[in-house]
Amino acid sequence: MPSGTADIALRTEGRAGIVTLNRPRAINALTHAMVLAVDTALTAWEHDPAVHTVVIEGAGERGLCAGGDIRAIHDAARAGGSAAQAFWRDEYRLNARIARYPKPYVALMDGIVMGGGVGVSAHGSVRVVTERSRVAMPETGIGFVPDVGGTRLLGRAPGELGTHLALTGTPVGAADALLAGLADHFVPAAGLPALVRDLAVLPAAEAVARHTGTAPPGVLAEQRGWIDACYPADTVETVVERLLDSGVPAAKEAATTLLAKSPTALKTTLATLRRSRGLATLEEVLDLEFRVSSAALTTPDLVEGIRAQVVDKDRAPRWTPATLPEVTDADVARFFAPPPGGDLGLAGALRTRTTPSSGPPPGSEVSGPRSGGEVSGPRGGA
């Protein structure tokens, strides 16, 4: 059995290998050591014939994972960024591995699931939300851009739902996570312990089917009209103008939300979303996002956003530039240049592994929209 760290608990129960993110006071925010420990466990369990299903859950009552440790990213950005880049290299590799894992990977997305928490859950083959779930990619509020494959997930949401969620960072509940393609099944929170017990003795598909229910109503289905009308634009300025002119109170609230975010992050997020839609695999998207994340380390907004939201908590970031018109096309274009330390290279590694004679990598045949395959659903169901 693989060993964990102080912040990761690993155990096997029957046919299931269970990862528990174990930093409840930090809502299980990911550190670099935690990412490496999860990857090590996946390696061991992939080759262990006694383990048929992997489950990931969060300790405590607040959520699966609130994201990466952004205080550490703040400190790394101020120190030059190399530590943050090293973290992202391993985190994004883990995200890609989860999407192509050859055994069912069951993510219990209970409570808060944001940023890096989406990365370790929403690329899995079996994604379970509860009535307590609050799923979001809130990066624009800290001067950053959705990463961990989030622009692929949101770029493939119906209509312009993903653009709305990516730019505003709005958290969604269970029904809306299902609608947006961020989750597959609803299970009441009280039923999760029984689900885990069944995963220890039953094939994953059968165990989940025993506990799946109907999620409480969401809000996005009713908002599709103004969202789909306002967000298919080439510029954030046009999106804001349409939202303000729509006459819909919720749309006006969305415009107000956008105008409080980092203008640079908003424009870069929209550009990244549009680019990611044209990429064939999750690996290509993660390569793109690594460029964007690396560039963000050199801008003032990331440090300032984390300072305002997490460090000083004054909730009054001073963005540079301060307005959308001040952010030029050249400002956005620099986010897509190769980083000084070199590209992530996941897409190239995938092409090297996948040849006409060897066929697709393990698990890709059922990877669905999360990794660029054609078929969705639990892998293997074993």
Side-chain angles (χ1 to χ4, degrees), residues 6 16 20 25 110 148 157 213 300 337 367 380:
T20 303
R25 293 181 62 182
D110 185 34
V148 298
S367 54

Side-chain angles (χ1 to χ4, degrees), residues 293-311:
S293 299
S294 298
L297 291 169
T298 68
T299 66
D301 279 4
L302 178 57
V303 171
E304 172 62 11
I306 298 174
R307 179 208 64 77
Q309 300 296 337
V310 178
V311 179

Side-chain angles (χ1 to χ4, degrees), residues 10-19 45 50-56:
L10 302 171
R11 69 187 192 275
T12 55
E13 293 185 7
R15 57 192 287 134
I18 302 171
V19 176
W45 288 335
V51 174
H52 296 260
T53 299
V54 170
V55 181
I56 187 166

Side-chain angles (χ1 to χ4, degrees), residues 46-341:
E46 179 176 349
H47 302 288
D48 185 345
V51 174
H52 296 260
T53 299
V54 170
V55 181
I56 187 166
E57 62 182 8
E61 298 296 322
R62 299 169 67 190
L64 170 66
C65 177
D69 188 340
I70 58 174
R71 282 182 178 268
I73 292 172
H74 173 270
D75 294 343
R78 295 184 66 183
S82 60
Q85 277 192 302
F87 169 66
W88 288 327
R89 281 185 183 276
D90 289 325
E91 183 184 26
Y92 297 178
R93 287 169 180 154
L94 176 62
N95 301 147
R97 180 174 199 174
I98 288 168
R100 294 185 180 274
Y101 201 64
K103 297 180 179 181
Y105 180 99
V106 182
L108 305 183
M109 301 170 69
D110 185 34
I112 292 172
V113 185
M114 296 185 179
V118 173
V120 296
S121 60
H123 296 300
S125 54
V126 185
R127 306 165 301 169
V128 176
V129 284
T130 77
E131 73 280 3
R132 303 189 302 197
S133 295
R134 303 295 291 167
V135 185
M137 297 297 296
E139 285 78 6
T140 57
I142 59 166
F144 196 44
V145 176
D147 65 336
V148 298
T151 60
R152 181 171 180 82
L153 293 164
L154 294 175
R156 292 186 158 210
E160 292 294 326
L161 291 181
T163 309
H164 170 65
L165 297 178
L167 294 180
T168 63
T170 302
V172 297
D176 291 333
L178 293 165
L179 174 62
L182 301 174
D184 307 302
H185 308 279
F186 171 81
V187 174
L192 293 181
L195 170 59
V196 173
R197 288 194 295 271
D198 280 350
L199 287 167
V201 297
L202 296 171
E206 182 179 345
V208 173
R210 285 190 173 194
H211 297 275
T212 297
T214 302
V219 299
L220 288 182
E222 295 181 358
Q223 296 178 342
R224 280 287 303 275
W226 63 263
I227 288 174
D228 288 351
C230 294
Y231 282 95
D234 294 330
T235 69
V236 180
E237 290 94 330
T238 301
V239 171
V240 172
E241 181 180 354
R242 290 175 179 174
L243 291 169
L244 291 172
D245 291 344
S246 69
V248 179
K252 185 175 181 180
E253 291 176 9
T256 301
T257 296
L258 291 180
L259 292 173
K261 307 294 185 183
S262 160
T264 301
L266 288 174
K267 287 197 170 185
T268 306
T269 294
L270 184 62
T272 307
L273 276 170
R274 299 303 190 238
R275 291 188 183 210
S276 71
R277 283 178 173 174
L279 298 177
T281 66
L282 173 61
E283 286 79 4
E284 290 175 279
V285 173
L286 289 165
D287 284 346
L288 177 70
E289 291 178 349
F290 184 75
R291 289 187 173 192
V292 174
S293 299
S294 298
L297 291 169
T298 68
T299 66
D301 279 4
L302 178 57
V303 171
E304 172 62 11
I306 298 174
R307 179 208 64 77
Q309 300 296 337
V310 178
V311 179
D312 297 337
K313 299 182 180 179
D314 59 25
R315 308 292 192 264
R318 296 178 290 275
W319 305 122
T320 306
T323 67
L324 288 166
E326 292 177 272
V327 182
T328 68
D329 291 344
D331 291 332
V332 175
R334 64 179 294 273
F335 281 81
F336 301 101

